[in-house]
Amino acid sequence: MILPIFFIFFLTFSSSYAAVQDFCVADYTAPQGPAGYSCKNPANVTADDFVYSGLAVAGNTSNLNKVGINPAFAGQFPGLNGLGLSLVRADFEVGGVGPLHLHHGASELILVVQGTIIAGFIATDNTVYLKTLKQGDIMLLPQGLLHFQKNGGDTPALLFASFNSENPGVQLLENALFQSDLPTELISQTTSIDTAEIKKLKGLFGGTN
Ligand SMILES: *[C@@H]1O[C@H](CO)[C@@H](O)[C@H](O)[C@H]1NC(C)=O
Ligand SMILES: *[C@@H]1O[C@H](CO)[C@@H](O)[C@H](O)[C@H]1NC(C)=O
């Protein structure tokens, strides 16, 4: 009867472990390590560490993309630290675009709260999965794949996006190419885009070389 004994041992061990590790609220006074923030002393943790009111307001939409991004990542919302999830508010003006980008190691689930959103992603075999979403629709954007969202209507649109990461990194395709100092000649040779177009886009995005 080795199995029941092991099971009882496991239960005892795991419940005492859980009691110590219920959460790891971010301690912003200590430096951030590769695995996230260190844990605030549990004696100093309050209900406020698990509540964030910052998403009540729209992010700033005065930018090229006409989109306001307002994140609730571990850096803004201390209770998320170590739990592997987060939420972002994205406000789209008419004509607003979330340009082609990807999140390394984080899938994204978007919920359209207001207006109409056109969203899509491109799989590694170059199949395009594209949809016009209305209020209440949710759409999944699998991890590591290029995707975008844009306002598909003539009124402002609002979506919330959740990630299975408390700090999803983002790489924007256009910024990587045209806001960087990768030489124009090399960009042309490695993308088939002509140099005049690259120079124009570097001017727009602020890239050099
Ligand atoms: C955390 O709580 C301890 C004990 O209540 C207190 O002495 C300490 O000052 C607190 N630390 C912070 C950063 O609030
Ligand atoms: C929004 O962003 C623009 C451009 O960066 C800036 O000029 C403006 O002050 C910002 N507005 C607010 C309310 O922060």
Side-chain angles (χ1 to χ4, degrees):
M1 291 272 94
I2 284 171
L3 212 58
I5 290 167
F6 176 77
F7 185 65
I8 288 164
F9 173 79
F10 176 77
L11 271 185
T12 312
F13 179 79
S14 61
S15 62
S16 61
Y17 180 78
V20 177
Q21 295 282 334
D22 276 354
F23 43 72
C24 174
V25 172
D27 178 0
Y28 294 140
T29 66
Q32 192 181 6
Y37 294 95
S38 53
C39 310
K40 197 169 162 179
N41 178 352
N44 300 40
V45 170
T46 70
D48 286 343
D49 289 313
F50 302 102
V51 175
Y52 182 67
S53 301
L55 297 192
V57 295
N60 191 339
T61 57
S62 301
N63 51 58
L64 201 61
N65 297 321
K66 299 184 184 167
V67 173
I69 300 293
N70 186 357
F73 296 156
Q76 291 82 34
F77 187 7
L80 286 179
N81 190 49
L83 296 182
L85 81 168
S86 60
L87 196 65
V88 161
R89 172 180 177 147
D91 288 78
F92 293 70
E93 298 285 359
V94 173
V97 174
L100 275 173
H101 65 280
L102 59 83
H103 309 281
H104 180 68
S107 295
E108 176 175 348
L109 187 57
I110 61 173
L111 164 65
V112 178
V113 169
Q114 184 193 314
T116 303
I117 291 285
I118 299 172
F121 67 89
I122 306 167
T124 55
D125 67 358
N126 301 319
T127 304
V128 173
Y129 298 85
L130 184 63
K131 216 47 200 171
T132 298
L133 307 171
K134 59 185 193 322
Q135 189 180 333
D137 286 339
I138 65 175
M139 182 172 179
L140 191 57
L141 305 164
Q143 63 177 2
L145 301 180
L146 279 168
H147 60 276
F148 71 91
Q149 297 97 2
K150 77 179 283 284
N151 189 339
D154 51 16
T155 58
L158 168 64
L159 67 80
F160 286 84
S162 69
F163 297 88
N164 59 338
S165 164
E166 71 223 36
N167 209 1
V170 60
Q171 184 169 40
L172 291 130
L173 182 61
E174 288 172 307
N175 298 58
L177 289 173
F178 309 122
Q179 205 172 48
S180 71
D181 61 4
L182 187 60
T184 296
E185 201 60 30
L186 271 175
I187 296 176
S188 182
Q189 289 161 357
T190 55
T191 63
S192 315
I193 305 171
D194 69 73
T195 55
E197 183 66 15
I198 295 166
K199 284 186 193 301
K200 192 187 97 186
L201 290 165
K202 281 202 177 227
L204 189 62
F205 283 87
T208 56
N209 292 331

